[in-house]
Amino acid sequence: MQRLTKTFSRSVFSSVKTLFGNALRSSFHPKQSFTTSSLREILKCQNHPIPGDLLKWNSLGFCRTSRFATGFAPLQPQTLDSIINIEKAKNQSPEDVAASWDDFHLGRTHIGTSMKAELYHLLEQRATNCRYFVIPLWRGSGYTTMFAQVQMPHILFTGLEDYKARGTQASPYFTVTYYKEFAESKDLVLIRGDVVFPSKLSDSEAKWLLETLQSFYLNDVRYKLVERFNRDTREFEFKDVLQALDMPSL
């Protein structure tokens, strides 16, 4: 993922105050950005079943007969104009907007980053027919398998074991929203991630998950694994994902 370089000069901090003045004066808390009600509403129209062979995925907590989208949907994100002063941002360079965006989210239980519009469009295109993937999250001497649903401009992450235990009542651990308002004018897409359950996922783990998932969709070689998982499941091997991430097979 290509990210614009952050700067920490006084001008950047001044830009932060200019763009996020109202937000900075308010108490910033995940509940202001998302609510946990009505997780089943937003993706009702999606009829894509979760890919995966029952015997192969059962050990990973995968339920072949369940449809992920019927019970797992994006929470309600804030609109960009409720976070940033769009009119003032129009007069700033892409670098300054991206740096201010990143700086604003530091230490606030949120992830703030950005990407080039071209990369976003590629991600969006590839996610159209390949909406699901699995990412091993290394912890200590082993890994926890996370399940991702990509329906742009949203990405959702939850644990496979949690989904297995709660079925359609499973809640996302981490949600991501892409803001395209500056895609044409500045070749810039702003990205905001919200850790819904800090007890299940740290900020650093959430950031790693986002960057890693994006790498599987944007890298041509890694994307073949995403295609295989969604389109040719019988040929998909989880060990190939581990190998791509230089993780040992346990």
Side-chain angles (χ1 to χ4, degrees):
M1 179 183 68
Q2 298 184 11
R3 296 185 56 190
L4 298 172
T5 305
K6 294 193 301 181
T7 61
F8 293 92
S9 64
R10 291 182 180 179
S11 62
V12 169
F13 286 109
S14 176
S15 297
V16 173
K17 291 181 180 179
T18 300
L19 296 181
F20 301 93
N22 292 333
L24 285 171
R25 287 192 291 270
S26 64
S27 58
F28 202 95
H29 190 274
K31 289 184 179 179
Q32 292 181 324
S33 304
F34 294 88
T35 60
T36 54
S37 62
S38 188
L39 291 177
R40 304 175 206 177
E41 296 301 318
I42 298 180
L43 297 182
K44 278 184 176 178
C45 59
Q46 184 174 333
N47 294 316
H48 292 250
I50 301 176
D53 178 76
L54 176 61
L55 295 178
K56 178 182 292 187
W57 290 105
N58 199 32
S59 62
L60 293 177
F62 220 95
C63 184
R64 179 71 165 85
T65 57
S66 296
R67 288 188 176 182
F68 194 52
T70 60
F72 191 71
L75 305 176
Q76 295 180 350
Q78 281 185 299
T79 58
L80 184 60
D81 61 7
S82 69
I83 306 172
I84 188 174
N85 188 321
I86 294 179
E87 290 303 314
K88 290 183 179 179
K90 288 179 180 179
N91 298 320
Q92 295 196 344
S93 68
E95 292 79 9
D96 284 346
V97 172
S100 297
W101 179 262
D102 290 1
D103 293 341
F104 174 70
H105 290 93
L106 286 175
R108 296 177 180 272
T109 322
H110 296 276
I111 308 300
T113 186
S114 58
M115 71 191 322
K116 295 287 188 179
E118 181 181 3
L119 289 177
Y120 173 81
H121 293 315
L122 177 60
L123 174 59
E124 185 177 49
Q125 174 190 346
R126 289 182 167 181
T128 300
N129 296 315
C130 295
R131 296 184 176 179
Y132 308 107
F133 200 56
V134 283
I135 300 289
L137 178 62
W138 192 263
R139 286 173 168 169
S141 59
Y143 57 81
T144 298
T145 306
M146 304 296 294
F147 186 81
Q149 176 177 309
V150 185
Q151 185 167 343
M152 304 305 288
H154 303 287
I155 298 178
L156 307 169
F157 295 88
T158 195
L160 283 177
E161 288 300 323
D162 197 40
Y163 184 77
K164 179 180 179 180
R166 293 170 174 80
T168 58
Q169 299 300 315
S171 297
Y173 294 3
F174 178 44
T175 67
V176 180
T177 300
Y178 292 76
Y179 295 99
K180 301 176 288 182
E181 282 82 347
F182 300 119
E184 293 186 10
S185 62
K186 299 182 184 295
D187 188 29
L188 179 70
V189 174
L190 299 175
I191 308 168
R192 176 183 169 111
D194 289 82
V195 178
V196 182
F197 291 107
S199 61
K200 295 180 179 290
L201 198 66
S202 69
D203 287 0
S204 60
E205 288 175 332
K207 181 180 179 181
W208 183 88
L209 280 174
L210 174 59
E211 293 176 347
T212 301
L213 182 69
Q214 287 183 153
S215 76
F216 274 97
Y217 277 85
L218 297 175
N219 179 281
D220 292 341
V221 175
R222 287 189 172 189
Y223 182 62
K224 293 183 183 299
L225 293 175
V226 179
E227 287 185 306
R228 198 176 302 161
F229 180 78
N230 286 270
R231 300 177 179 178
D232 192 14
T233 309
R234 293 183 181 277
E235 299 300 319
F236 179 83
E237 294 290 345
F238 190 67
K239 64 179 178 62
D240 294 335
V241 179
L242 295 172
Q243 183 177 358
L245 296 173
D246 294 323
M247 291 185 182
S249 299
L250 300 179

